[in-house]
Amino acid sequence: MLLVDKMQTISSLDIKIFKEFWWAVFLFSYEIATTQFGFLPPFIGIFFTYMILEYSRKQKQYDEFKHNWYFAIIFIIFAEQIHGFHLFSTIIAFLLFYNFILDWLYTTMKWRNCLLIIFVAAGYTLTFLVNNLFAYVLNKQNLVFSTEYLFFIAFESILAIVLFRDKV
């Protein structure tokens, strides 16, 4: 009986790893597709929101980061690179937001779904601002904040509310 239980546990773990592998392949394939189809949002705001929620969970529970945290970091760096942002601009935006804005938002905002919208919007706007700061320092051309960013923020805000409303 013990051998059967071990086999089922290993089997369920294998299925979980298999699903997560194909989910990662899908997300990276989707991200590559966003470079060809400009109407697809790159999920920078979703992963920015996930990183905020996961980091907050770690701080509250004194727990270690799960492997999904590291996947989110890799994905967001990959996304910023193929969409023309400077390296680590999203990570710097995350650190600025988490250290200077998040605590104030948690204490003042009572409507938690609005927090998710703010997280997604901050993911795009702060990344945009940090990227333009890098461009200014390096004497390169600045990005233009176009209406496509607003569409991405609106779409990903709805998606964030659906995915993360129980985690805020």
Side-chain angles (χ1 to χ4, degrees), residues 134-141:
F134 282 155
Y136 176 76
V137 169
L138 297 172
N139 201 18
K140 293 188 177 181
Q141 185 177 3

Side-chain angles (χ1 to χ4, degrees), residues 54-149:
E54 190 65 19
Y55 200 82
S56 297
R57 181 201 61 82
K58 180 198 177 281
Q59 294 293 335
K60 289 177 187 173
Q61 296 177 358
Y62 300 107
D63 197 9
E64 293 296 317
F65 286 123
K66 298 178 184 175
H67 66 280
N68 293 340
W69 163 261
Y70 300 106
F71 174 76
I73 290 174
I74 291 168
F75 182 85
I76 208 161
I77 290 172
F78 178 73
E80 76 183 4
Q81 288 303 291
I82 66 172
H83 287 286
F85 292 107
H86 287 283
L87 185 61
F88 302 124
S89 59
T90 53
I91 303 300
I92 293 170
F94 168 77
L95 292 172
L96 289 172
F97 185 81
Y98 192 86
N99 288 317
F100 296 112
I101 302 171
L102 186 65
D103 286 337
W104 177 77
L105 281 175
Y106 273 145
T107 57
T108 58
M109 292 294 295
K110 302 302 178 202
W111 186 39
R112 295 302 182 190
N113 287 341
C114 187
L115 276 177
L116 294 173
I117 296 168
I118 292 171
F119 294 165
V120 170
Y124 278 104
T125 54
L126 286 177
T127 300
F128 173 80
L129 291 173
V130 169
N131 187 68
N132 280 345
L133 178 66
F134 282 155
Y136 176 76
V137 169
L138 297 172
N139 201 18
K140 293 188 177 181
Q141 185 177 3
N142 287 342
L143 291 177
V144 177
F145 197 82
S146 62
T147 56
E148 71 180 5
Y149 286 114

